[in-house]
Amino acid sequence: MMMMQGESTLLLRFFQLLLLFSCLRLNNNAEASTSSINVWPKPRNLTWSPPYQTTLLSSSFTIITTTIHHNKHLSAAICHYHSLLKSEHHHPLVPLGVSISKDLPPLQNLSITVVDPHAGLVNGVNESYTLSILPSHATLTAKTVWGAMRGLETFSQLAWGNPTQITVGVQVWDFPLFVHRGLMVDTARNYYPVKDLLRTVEAMSMNKLNVLHLHLTDAESFPLVLPSEPRLAEKGAYAPHMVYTPQDVKTLVEFGLDHGVRVIPEIDTPGHTASWALAHPDIVTCSNMFWWPAGSDWSDRLASQPGTGHLNPLNPKTYKVLKNVIHDITTLFPEPFFHSGTDEIVPGCWKTDSTIQKHLSNGGTLNQVLEKYINNTLPYIVSLNRTVIYWEDVLLDETVHVPSTILPKEHVILQTWLKGHNHTKKIVSAGYRTIVSSADFYYLDCGHGTYVGNNSAYDKQDGSTGNGGSWCAPFKTWQTIYNYDITYGLNEEEAKLVLGGEVALWSEQSDATVLDARVWPRASAMAESLWSGNRDEKGVKRYAEATDRLNEWRSRMVSRGIGAEPIQPLWCVKNPGMCNTQHSV
C-alpha cells in the first residue's frame, strides 16, 4: 500500500511537471506570437490567446459609443479612426504568419464606453484604457475621452492587409508611466507652416505623445499675431505670410484636442527678445549689436548666439507690453500651462543699459534685476489661472538666477536641459516638479555642426574638427533616446516630481523640409520609454527587441504620410537578428 501511494505521488508529480512544461511551451508560443503583433508604443499588458486568429473587418464596420456624450473631440477621433481603418490596408514588412479564420464572422463594430466624457485634457488626466477583441465583438473602455483615443490608436495598429483583417482574442490593459510626453518645436529660428504643425500633431497622436510645446518667439523672429500688440509680429516676423494668426492658433489647438494633444505656448523672456526691439526698441537692452565682440572672452559676449536683446526689467513700460502679451496668449491658448522661458540671461547685454548700470553702481546685482522681472510677471500669470513653466536657468544658472523663495512650488514647474541626471536631481530635491529635456539625450538638433559662418574650426586638413561645431554633439540616435532613464538616481518621492519628458527640435538648421525626418522615429523612441518603459518584465533593457518593432512602426508611419527616416537597411528587417552586434558593449 505504501509502495502504491509512492507510485501515485510520483505519477502525480510527473503529470504536474508535464502540465508545467505544456504551460511553459504555451507561454513561450504566446510570447512569440504577441511579440510579432506590432503596437507602438508597446502596451503595458497585451495578450493574444491561442489559436491566434484573425478575422476580416466587415464592409459595414462601425465604431459606436455606449455613452451618451456631446464631446466633439471624441466624435472627431471616431471619424478619424473609422476612416483610417477603412482605407489604410497596411502591409507589414514581415508578414505575421497567420491567415484569416474562415469560421469567424467579420467584425461588425467596436463599442466604446467612456466613464467621464467631460474630463478635460490637462496635466495628469487619466489616459488608461482596456481593449478586448473577441470573435463576436470588440469593446474599448476608458475613464476619459483621452484614454479612448489611445485605445483607438492601439486598435488601428492591430489591423492590416487588403482586405483589412484584425487580430481576434486580444486583450489590452494599458496606461502611461508618465503623464507628460511631449515634443518641443522652435518656430522662431525658422518658420513652420501650420499644415506641417498639424501633421506633426497627428504623428504625435499615433505615438501616444500628448504635449506639443511651441517655442513661439525668440531673438530671431516674433511670428505670433497678438491683438493687443500687433506690431510685434508686423515688425518681428520674417515675412507677412510667416505668421500665426489667432485663427491659425485656434485651428492648431482644436486639431490638437481632436487628437489628444495639448498645445503649450512659450514666449521666451526676458532674454532671447531681440525681435521685440523692432516694435518696442525702448524696452530692449543691447539690441542689434554684434553678439560676440571681436577680441572679447566668452564671458563678455552679448548673447549666446547671433541676435542680441534682453527685455529691461527696470523699465516700467516693459510690463505694460508684457501684460498685453501674456493676456493675449492665455486667451488664445486655453492650456493651463504657460511657458515663460527665462533661460540664458547674458550679463553683458543687461550691462549695456544705463539704468541697469546705475543699479549695479549702487550695489545692486543682476540677480535682483531678474528677481524684479519674476516678481512683476509671475503673479500676473498665476492670476490668469496658469501654472508657469521656466527653463531651469532661473534657479540653477551659475551667474544670474533667483532664490527659490520667489518661485512657489505650487505654481512653478522647472524644465531641465543641462547636465542630465545631475540637474534633474537638483530640481526635484528642491521640491519642484520637472519636465526633462536633457540636451545630452533629448535634443534632436544636435550633431549637425554650427550655423555660425566664418568659422576657422572647419579649416582642419587632418579632419580634427572635434565635435563638428555642434555644442551638443553627437547626434542623438533613437537608441540613445530610448535608453534614457529620466528618473535615474532619484528616490521614490523625488521620482514622483518628474512629470515626464520632451524631445526638443531647435530650429537653427531645421524647417518644414526636414521636420519629419528630424523628429521621427526618434521621438517614437521617447514615446515608448515614457509610455511603457524601456525594460522588459525582467527589468532588462529591451532596445534589441524594440528594433524590429520600430522598423515596422516607422514603415506604418511612412504609409500614413509621415516622412520618418529609416533606422536600418530593409535587409535587416527581412533577416531578423542578422544585424545585431555579437555581444553587448
Side-chain angles (χ1 to χ4, degrees), residues 14 44 54 67 82 115 150 163-164 176 191 244 294 341 359 556 561:
F14 172 75
R44 302 294 291 275
T54 71
T67 312
H82 183 265
V115 177
R150 308 305 173 217
T164 303
Y191 175 80
Y244 303 110
H359 166 78
R556 190 184 283 247

Side-chain angles (χ1 to χ4, degrees), residues 166-396:
I166 192 160
T167 53
V168 174
V170 168
Q171 302 279 350
V172 182
W173 173 61
D174 207 9
F175 61 95
L177 278 172
F178 293 94
V179 298
H180 189 111
R181 308 176 307 281
L183 163 67
M184 191 226 73
V185 177
D186 163 20
T187 62
R189 272 56 179 250
N190 275 311
Y191 175 80
Y192 295 86
V194 173
K195 65 180 179 64
D196 297 293
L197 295 178
L198 294 177
R199 186 180 66 258
T200 300
V201 166
E202 193 165 359
M204 291 175 67
S205 184
M206 296 175 199
N207 286 272
K208 297 186 174 72
L209 295 176
N210 63 358
V211 174
L212 175 60
H213 166 186
L214 290 180
H215 184 87
L216 287 162
T217 66
D218 211 288
E220 292 83 355
S221 76
F222 196 111
L224 183 63
V225 177
L226 298 175
S228 299
E229 292 289 344
R231 294 180 69 244
L232 284 169
E234 288 173 9
K235 301 288 186 179
Y238 284 129
H241 67 282
M242 291 184 174
V243 297
Y244 303 110
T245 67
Q247 182 57 51
D248 291 334
V249 171
K250 183 178 180 181
T251 297
L252 183 59
V253 168
E254 286 297 304
F255 191 83
L257 292 171
D258 288 346
H259 290 79
V261 176
R262 301 156 56 201
V263 182
I264 295 179
E266 179 188 353
I267 301 296
D268 201 355
T269 59
H272 291 275
T273 49
S275 59
W276 297 51
L278 299 170
H280 295 287
D282 50 337
I283 68 171
V284 180
T285 66
C286 88
S287 63
N288 200 31
M289 295 182 177
F290 192 76
W291 69 291
W292 189 2
S296 64
D297 293 332
W298 176 250
S299 59
D300 295 323
R301 70 196 184 280
L302 300 181
S304 292
Q305 61 180 192
T308 59
H310 285 13
L311 295 181
N312 187 347
L314 301 187
N315 185 341
K317 185 187 172 183
T318 298
Y319 303 107
K320 293 179 182 179
V321 176
L322 268 171
K323 287 188 176 181
N324 286 338
V325 170
I326 293 167
H327 176 269
D328 282 358
I329 289 171
T330 54
T331 301
L332 290 171
F333 294 88
E335 162 61 38
F337 285 1
F338 180 98
H339 205 306
S340 193
T342 323
D343 61 312
E344 294 188 313
I345 301 299
V346 178
C349 184
W350 270 347
K351 288 179 180 179
T352 64
D353 178 75
S354 59
T355 306
I356 295 177
Q357 289 173 6
K358 183 177 179 181
H359 166 78
L360 296 175
S361 65
N362 289 332
T365 66
L366 293 182
N367 287 348
Q368 291 170 339
V369 175
L370 180 57
E371 186 170 341
K372 184 176 180 64
Y373 169 80
I374 297 293
N375 284 336
N376 277 277
T377 54
L378 175 58
Y380 180 64
I381 300 171
V382 172
S383 76
L384 297 172
N385 297 315
R386 296 297 189 271
T387 295
V388 184
I389 305 174
Y390 293 120
W391 292 106
E392 62 174 26
D393 311 44
V394 71
L395 183 70
L396 298 183

Side-chain angles (χ1 to χ4, degrees), residues 71 74 77 81 110 112-117 119-121 125-131 140-155 172-176 181 205 208 210 257 259-260 531:
N71 192 305
L74 177 58
Y81 281 104
L110 169 65
I112 301 177
T113 300
V114 178
V115 177
D116 181 7
L121 184 59
V125 71
N126 191 311
E127 295 177 273
S128 66
Y129 68 92
T130 58
L131 175 65
L140 170 60
T141 302
K143 290 290 180 67
T144 69
V145 166
W146 321 110
M149 290 183 186
R150 308 305 173 217
L152 282 166
E153 176 57 39
T154 295
F155 185 84
V172 182
W173 173 61
D174 207 9
F175 61 95
R181 308 176 307 281
S205 184
K208 297 186 174 72
N210 63 358
L257 292 171
H259 290 79
W531 181 273

Side-chain angles (χ1 to χ4, degrees), residues 532-564:
S532 57
N534 54 22
R535 299 173 185 271
D536 62 21
E537 63 279 358
K538 297 178 182 178
V540 178
K541 289 283 181 76
R542 64 186 185 200
Y543 53 90
E545 175 269 339
T547 304
D548 292 337
R549 287 190 298 108
L550 188 56
N551 274 316
E552 286 283 2
W553 175 233
R554 178 259 172 184
S555 174
R556 190 184 283 247
M557 280 199 293
V558 170
S559 70
R560 290 182 177 185
I562 308 302

Side-chain angles (χ1 to χ4, degrees), residues 40 180-183 209 436 442 478 481-482 501-503 521-531:
W40 195 282
H180 189 111
R181 308 176 307 281
L183 163 67
L209 295 176
V436 177
Y442 278 177
W478 79 264
I481 293 169
Y482 190 86
E502 291 178 4
V503 285
R522 290 188 292 161
S524 302
M526 185 199 70
E528 178 159 296
S529 67
L530 297 188
W531 181 273

Side-chain angles (χ1 to χ4, degrees), residues 399-476:
T399 307
V400 184
H401 57 266
V402 300
S404 60
T405 51
I406 69 164
L407 299 172
K409 296 174 179 63
E410 65 273 21
H411 297 307
V412 169
I413 295 168
L414 298 180
Q415 186 162 4
T416 177
W417 62 285
L418 287 169
K419 300 185 179 178
H421 301 301
N422 178 278
H423 274 201
T424 303
K425 178 78 170 181
K426 283 186 177 182
I427 290 168
V428 297
S429 62
Y432 287 98
R433 291 168 289 172
T434 191
I435 298 163
V436 177
S437 293
S438 171
D440 293 336
F441 296 88
Y442 278 177
Y443 271 27
L444 302 179
D445 57 303
C446 299
H448 290 275
T450 179
Y451 73 99
V452 179
N454 192 31
N455 192 338
S456 61
Y458 292 107
D459 186 19
K460 304 287 186 182
Q461 302 309 305
D462 59 359
S464 59
T465 55
N467 61 7
S470 174
W471 73 272
C472 58
F475 179 89
K476 312 308 174 191

